[in-house]
Amino acid sequence: ELPKNVALPFTEIFNKKITIIQGNVETIDVKTQTILYSPTNSAQSQRLPYDYLILTLGSESAYFGIPGLEEYAIPLKTVDDAMKIKEAIKNMCCEEGKCNKKVQLVIGGGGFSGTELAGEMLMYKDKIAKQNHLDKNCLDISIMQGSDRLLKELDPHVSLLAQKRLMSSQMHFLFGGHIKEVTKDTIQTDDGKSYPYDILVWTGGVSANHLAKN
């Protein structure tokens, strides 16, 4: 069950005039104005006619065909993804005072999502350590960005402000190399470098939801 301070149940948001259907959309036929979907609790597909259709599907992570990336990285698109990142940190960090192992958390992508996640991690690492009796210095965070700065879409002075805000002995900036291949414990970049990691979070690209694309 997801934390209610992060994701409110639909039943607490909508009144009884709203019908909530849980399931996966398979296809949308715009000619017949029909949605084919598989209900969560049934193996048999069903059809749902509509007069008006509003698509609010969001985007999906794009992996650009990079070998191993989708297999080994955790995306950051859903609350479930966030919970996976939290559990990975909690399970890998050592108990307080019992070892000196550094858990290497690499964030692939220094755009808006990656930069914000890095800032959250700097604050969150102390909280999760206190809650779970972990060594608060067990987490090293790296941002891997193909350009020579964070937030390349913005003016350079904004990028510099963001980087200064993230400055910490536990924060590292890996600029100038694009991820070429990912194995179970290593990231290879196109500038010939190799980086070990324990947790890889991918925030480096999105594409349109496949249903909207189709």
Side-chain angles (χ1 to χ4, degrees), residues 148-161:
D148 60 354
R149 59 187 176 94
L150 301 174
L151 303 173
K152 64 179 181 179
E153 300 85 358
L154 304 181
D155 289 337
H157 79 278
V158 178
S159 298
L160 185 59
L161 285 173

Side-chain angles (χ1 to χ4, degrees), residues 41-183:
N41 297 321
S42 174
Q44 187 173 358
S45 297
Q46 297 189 24
R47 294 186 179 275
L48 180 69
Y50 66 85
D51 294 309
Y52 298 94
L53 175 64
I54 301 173
L55 291 175
T56 59
L57 300 171
S59 60
E60 299 174 343
S61 294
Y63 298 97
F64 308 113
I66 299 171
L69 183 57
E70 185 173 2
E71 181 180 359
Y72 295 111
I74 305 173
L76 185 59
K77 295 297 296 174
T78 67
V79 178
D80 283 334
D81 294 336
M83 297 295 289
K84 287 178 184 177
I85 296 168
K86 175 185 176 181
E87 288 301 309
I89 294 171
K90 187 171 76 172
N91 292 335
M92 288 186 182
C93 279
C94 297
E95 292 185 11
E96 193 170 4
K98 292 200 173 180
C99 74
N100 296 315
K101 179 190 175 186
K102 290 279 189 181
V103 174
Q104 302 296 326
L105 170 66
V106 176
I107 301 170
F112 296 104
S113 296
T115 301
E116 184 175 359
L117 176 62
E120 291 292 336
M121 284 291 100
L122 278 178
M123 293 186 291
Y124 182 64
K125 63 180 179 59
D126 293 338
K127 181 178 180 180
I128 194 174
K130 185 176 181 180
Q131 288 177 338
N132 298 281
H133 307 290
L134 304 174
D135 183 347
K136 67 179 182 179
N137 295 314
C138 85
L139 189 66
D140 261 1
I141 306 164
S142 299
I143 302 182
M144 185 170 288
Q145 171 73 333
S147 65
D148 60 354
R149 59 187 176 94
L150 301 174
L151 303 173
K152 64 179 181 179
E153 300 85 358
L154 304 181
D155 289 337
H157 79 278
V158 178
S159 298
L160 185 59
L161 285 173
Q163 186 169 338
K164 286 182 176 178
R165 181 72 178 268
L166 293 176
M167 286 294 187
S168 165
S169 60
Q170 289 174 271
M171 178 66 67
H172 312 283
F173 302 99
L174 310 176
F175 293 147
H178 298 85
I179 295 178
K180 183 176 69 174
E181 184 178 356
V182 179
T183 65

